[in-house]
Amino acid sequence: MANVHEFDVVVVGGGGAGLMAAMNASKTARTAVISKLYPVRSHTGAAQGGIGAALGNIEEDNPDWHTFDTVKGSDYLGDQDAIEFMCREAVDAVYDLEHMGLPFTRNPDGRIAQRPFGGHTNNVTGKPVRRSCYAADRTGHMILQTLYQQCIKNNILFYDEFQVMDVLIVDGKAAGVVAVELATGELHVFHSKAVIIATGGHGRIWEITSNAYAYTGDGCAVVARRGIPLEDMEFFQFHPTGIFKLGILITEAVRGEGGILFNAKGERFMEKYAPRIKDLASRDVISRSMYLETRAGNDVNKQRFFYLDVTPEIVNKYAEIDGRTRPDGTPYRVTAEEIMSKIPDIADFCLTYLGVDPTRQPIPVQPTAHYAMGGIPTNKFGQVVIDEQNTVLPGLYAAGEVACVSVHGANRLGTNSLVDLVVFGKHSGLHAAEYALGADMPSLPDDPTGFMREQIDRLRAASGSENVATLARELKVEMFDNVGVFRTQAGLEQAVVKVQELRERFKQVKVTDTGKVFNMEMMQAWELGNMLDLALITAQSALARTESRGAHARDDYPARDDANWLKHTLAWMNGDEISLGYKPVVITQYAPKERTY
Ligand SMILES: Cc1cc2nc3c(=O)[nH]c(=O)nc-3n(C[C@H](O)[C@H](O)[C@H](O)COP(=O)(O)OP(=O)(O)OC[C@H]3O[C@@H](n4cnc5c(N)ncnc54)[C@H](O)[C@@H]3O)c2cc1C
C-alpha cells in the first residue's frame, strides 16, 4: 500500500513558478511542494539575462509598451487579455522580489539597473528600451534562492526527489497526484483539493538544446495521458546563440551589451534581415536569418555556426556606427573589465567549454532549442482549461513554462518567462488556495496508484533489445533536423513516421536495473516515453499548421495566414492517435499587423 498524504494544495515542481505558487498558496492553505530535483537545482537557476518590467528606471517606459512588444513578439498569437495582465503585474512583481531580498544589480543612484533585450522597444521611437532587470548574468539563480529562502521561512513542506507520474482526476475534478520516492522506490499518493503543475519545459526532445537534463516534459505528458489537451505545441523557440555543438546558452544580454553577429565572410548579417534593430531582433528572426545564411553558404567552416563578437574593439566600433549612447547621453564605449563584470558566468562557460576568452575572441554560436511556448492550456488565474470553450477543470492549475496562458503566443520575448513565472505562479497559488477553502476533499479512486503501476510494470516487463540512449538520440536528431528552426511538409511527415516507429520500438526497451533505490535507469525510460509523446504531438501540430508564424517557420508556407490560422491549436492524445482542435485568440487592443524589424 502506498503512503497517503493529505493537503489542500499540492504544487508539482520547485522552480520559480512552483515556489511562487507555493509561497502564495501557503498563506491560507496547507501546501506541499513535490519536486524531482532538489528545488534550487531547477532550470530557473540557469536564467541569465533578466526579468522584464517597465520600471522606467533609466529611461521612459510603461506597461502598455511592454504589452504591445509582447503581442508583436508573439506574432499576434498571444492572448491579449493575459498579456496586459502580465505586463501590468510585472512592475509590482519585481518590487516584491526586491523586498524579499533579491540582490539586483543597481544603478549608481541605487535603483534597480535595467538593460536592453531583443524585441523590447520604446513604442514611439522604435528604438530598444532598457527594460530587463537583472542580477549580473545570474538573475534566475537569484530568483530561485530568494524564493526558496522565503518558502523555508514560511514552513512549506518539501518532498524533494519525488517524481510525479500521474495526476488523479475524480468526477471531473483534481484529486491529487501520485509520485515515486526516488531514494526508496516507494509510491506515494498526495491527496489534495487542488494541484498546481509547475514542471518546466521539454527542450530535451531536440539534439542541440540549452535546457536542463530534467526537461523531459513530465507535466505535459502526465496530463495528456489523462485526456487533457496540450496547446500550441508546434511553437518551440530556438535561441540563436547556443554554444556551438553544446547548446549551452549565451544570453541575449551579450547582444544587449553590444555583441555583434558575423557570418563566415565577416559580414554583420543582421543588417540585411532587421535593418532597424539589427542584432537585437527577436530570437526567431535571428535563428531564421542564421538558417538563411547557412543555406546561402555563409556559415563558418560550412558547419552551421556563426560568430558572436563581444570584444571591446568590435563593441565600440559598432556602437559608434549605430550612434549608441549611455543613459547620460555620452557615447557608449566599454572596456574588457566592464564586459567581464556584466557577463561573468558566460565568460566562464566560454573559457571552460571552448577555451575562448570572449573579451579577446569571438564566440562560435548556433541556434539551440530553448523554450516551450506551448503547454497545458490555462486562463490567467492558472486554471487548466480543457476544450475550445475554455471550460475549467476544477482544482487543476498549471504555471510557468509547462503552461500555455497564452502570453508568449508563437514566440516569447527574452525576459518574459521569468515575469510569467512570478506573475502566474503567484496568481495560480492564490486562486488554488481560495478554491481549496471552499471545496470539500474529493474522494480518492479505488486504486489511486493503478495507472502509475501499470506504466512502471510495462517498462519492467519489456525485455527487448532496445536501449533508452539509442532511442533518445534518434529522436533528438530527427526533431532537430525536421521539426526545428525551418520545417517542410515532407520533413514533418517523415518526423511523424519516425516518432511513431520509435514509439513502437520503445515497447521493446530494456531496463536492466531492477532495484528500487534511485533507479534512474527506470526513470529515464519513463521520461523517454514522455518525450516521445510530446514529440509526436509537436510534429503533428506543426504538420497541420500550413503557415509561418513566430517560431513556427514553414519553408513551403512562408507567409503568416491570419485568415485561416489566427487560432490556437489544441492537441489531444488518444493512445497512438493525436486529434487536433482549435480555439480563437483573444484580441483586445491590437489588430494583427505585419511585423517589421
Ligand atoms: C539556459 C536558460 C536561460 C534562460 N534565461 C532566461 C532569462 O534570462 N529570462 C527569462 O525570462 N527566461 C529565461 N529562460 C527561461 C526560463 O528560465 C524558464 O522558462 C523558467 O525558469 C522555467 O521555470 P519553471 O518554474 O516553469 O520550471 P523549472 O524552474 O525548470 O522548475 C521545474 C520544476 O519541476 C520539477 N519537476 C519536473 N518534472 C517533475 C516530476 N515529474 N515530478 C516532480 N517534479 C518535477 C523539477 O524538479 C523542478 O523543480 C532561460 C532558460 C534557459 C534554459
Side-chain angles (χ1 to χ4, degrees):
M1 183 56 198
N3 306 284
V4 180
H5 313 268
E6 222 183 76
F7 291 97
D8 295 322
V9 178
V10 158
V11 180
V12 185
L19 295 180
M20 200 66 194
M23 239 177 60
N24 284 283
S26 69
K27 289 178 187 162
T28 55
R30 289 173 304 144
T31 304
V33 176
I34 309 171
S35 179
K36 72 173 177 182
L37 303 174
Y38 186 68
V40 289
R41 292 198 177 151
S42 305
H43 192 67
T44 297
Q48 304 162 350
I51 172 166
L55 306 184
N57 275 358
I58 295 185
E59 58 193 330
E60 189 188 352
D61 198 3
N62 70 61
D64 289 341
W65 292 353
H66 190 184
T67 301
F68 175 70
D69 290 340
T70 305
V71 171
K72 180 180 171 196
S74 81
D75 223 350
Y76 294 90
L77 194 73
D79 287 329
Q80 297 182 11
D81 55 341
I83 296 176
E84 284 163 12
F85 178 72
M86 178 179 83
C87 295
R88 297 230 168 88
E89 292 268 311
V91 174
D92 281 344
V94 166
Y95 289 133
D96 283 349
L97 290 171
E98 183 188 34
H99 297 161
M100 286 179 220
L102 196 144
F104 282 109
T105 299
R106 303 275 167 179
N107 290 332
D109 68 4
R111 291 189 295 175
I112 295 172
Q114 296 187 277
R115 62 182 164 206
F117 238 78
H120 293 277
T121 63
N122 174 315
N123 285 188
V124 178
T125 63
K127 289 203 169 143
V129 71
R130 297 171 183 88
R131 187 177 289 148
S132 168
C133 311
Y134 59 99
D137 54 3
R138 302 179 185 122
T139 315
H141 175 89
M142 294 306 181
I143 289 181
L144 210 47
Q145 298 288 338
T146 305
L147 293 179
Y148 188 59
Q149 287 165 9
Q150 294 292 323
C151 287
I152 295 296
K153 190 180 98 187
N154 293 348
N155 294 320
I156 291 168
L157 265 176
F158 280 87
Y159 291 86
D160 296 336
E161 300 187 330
F162 279 61
Q163 189 151 357
V164 169
M165 295 176 75
D166 190 20
V167 54
L168 300 173
I169 295 168
V170 176
D171 299 333
K173 292 181 185 164
V177 296
V178 189
V180 58
E181 181 177 3
L182 297 174
T184 62
E186 273 184 44
L187 305 189
H188 292 251
V189 175
F190 293 87
H191 183 199
S192 65
K193 297 178 186 174
V195 171
I196 304 176
I197 312 263
T199 50
H202 55 268
R204 281 275 145 192
I205 67 180
W206 282 274
E207 181 191 7
I208 308 280
T209 178
S210 66
N211 285 185
Y213 283 97
Y215 264 23
T216 50
D218 301 3
C220 282
V222 159
V223 301
R225 280 179 203 136
R226 287 294 188 180
I228 292 164
L230 298 180
E231 181 175 344
D232 289 343
M233 292 292 281
E234 62 272 41
F235 296 102
F236 199 92
Q237 180 174 83
F238 285 75
H239 194 297
T241 59
I243 292 183
F244 177 48
K245 283 189 179 162
L246 302 172
I248 296 173
L249 192 76
I250 302 291
T251 168
E252 200 170 305
V254 169
R255 284 176 288 127
E257 301 297 345
I260 307 286
L261 289 158
F262 294 100
N263 63 18
K265 294 179 178 161
E267 289 167 345
R268 181 192 196 183
F269 59 89
M270 283 314 298
E271 258 170 358
K272 282 188 268 183
Y273 302 97
R276 275 207 305 175
I277 49 177
K278 301 174 187 146
D279 301 87
L280 280 172
S282 60
R283 295 168 182 182
D284 57 329
V285 176
I286 299 187
S287 291
R288 274 201 299 282
S289 306
M290 286 178 167
Y291 174 88
L292 293 172
E293 286 291 298
T294 302
R295 212 160 59 175
N298 294 338
D299 50 331
V300 181
N301 297 343
K302 299 279 177 279
Q303 282 182 296
R304 302 203 279 184
F305 75 89
F306 297 87
Y307 283 125
L308 172 61
D309 200 326
V310 68
T311 59
E313 299 72 52
I314 290 293
V315 171
N316 293 340
K317 175 177 162 190
Y318 285 90
E320 189 171 350
I321 292 173
D322 293 345
R324 186 171 173 178
T325 53
R326 289 202 180 272
D328 63 5
T330 57
Y332 183 83
R333 299 291 178 269
V334 293
T335 60
E337 290 69 35
E338 274 174 85
I339 290 172
M340 283 301 281
S341 74
K342 293 280 178 66
I343 51 163
D345 278 5
I346 295 297
D348 207 37
F349 292 151
C350 292
L351 272 175
T352 308
Y353 297 110
L354 299 169
V356 164
D357 172 355
T359 62
R360 293 160 181 255
Q361 296 156 281
I363 311 165
V365 293
Q366 72 179 146
T368 184
H370 185 56
Y371 182 83
M373 271 77 71
I376 305 173
T378 72
N379 61 24
K380 67 181 181 190
F381 305 112
Q383 294 175 289
V384 172
V385 293
I386 53 171
D387 56 22
E388 291 89 339
Q389 290 75 41
N390 289 319
T391 308
V392 166
L393 194 155
L396 190 61
Y397 294 77
E401 190 169 339
V402 73
C404 181
V405 183
S406 140
V407 281
H408 309 302
N411 180 43
R412 169 174 76 79
L413 289 189
T415 78
N416 267 0
S417 171
L418 294 179
V419 186
D420 170 355
L421 307 185
V422 186
V423 171
F424 295 107
K426 172 176 168 183
H427 286 280
S428 60
L430 290 175
H431 205 282
E434 196 185 316
Y435 168 83
L437 266 182
D440 294 329
M441 193 56 125
S443 52
L444 276 180
D446 291 341
D447 181 10
T449 59
F451 186 44
M452 173 170 161
R453 286 201 319 276
E454 200 182 300
Q455 296 180 52
I456 298 178
D457 288 349
R458 213 177 305 136
L459 288 171
R460 283 225 170 91
S463 55
S465 53
E466 294 289 355
N467 166 293
V468 171
T470 311
L471 293 182
R473 198 173 319 119
E474 287 185 34
L475 171 71
K476 288 160 196 253
V477 170
E478 184 65 35
M479 291 299 285
F480 202 71
D481 287 351
N482 284 322
V483 197
V485 175
F486 257 90
R487 299 153 177 198
T488 61
Q489 171 148 354
L492 289 166
E493 281 170 354
Q494 184 189 314
V496 168
V497 171
K498 177 75 185 180
V499 176
Q500 275 162 340
E501 175 209 311
L502 291 170
R503 284 161 59 87
E504 272 309 303
R505 287 167 58 195
F506 179 64
K507 293 179 183 154
Q508 304 301 322
V509 81
K510 189 171 178 60
V511 177
T512 52
D513 185 348
T514 54
K516 290 198 150 225
V517 176
F518 283 111
N519 189 343
M520 300 317 283
E521 193 189 348
M522 172 71 79
M523 294 322 295
Q524 276 166 12
W526 181 74
E527 289 174 344
L528 173 61
N530 299 343
M531 293 199 286
L532 287 166
D533 286 359
L534 299 193
L536 188 61
I537 293 174
T538 304
Q540 292 218 323
S541 302
L543 180 58
R545 188 175 279 272
T546 48
E547 66 157 353
S548 290
R549 181 185 298 272
H552 173 67
R554 293 275 305 245
D555 240 359
D556 39 3
Y557 295 94
R560 196 176 80 198
D561 176 2
D562 288 335
N564 293 303
W565 287 105
L566 186 61
K567 57 188 181 187
H568 297 291
T569 306
L570 293 176
W572 284 265
M573 222 177 99
N574 321 300
D576 288 337
E577 292 297 314
I578 308 294
S579 53
L580 300 177
Y582 295 93
K583 67 174 184 179
V585 173
V586 179
I587 293 175
T588 55
Q589 304 184 52
Y590 304 108
K593 278 203 239 147
E594 274 311 307
R595 286 168 81 189
T596 47
Y597 306 106

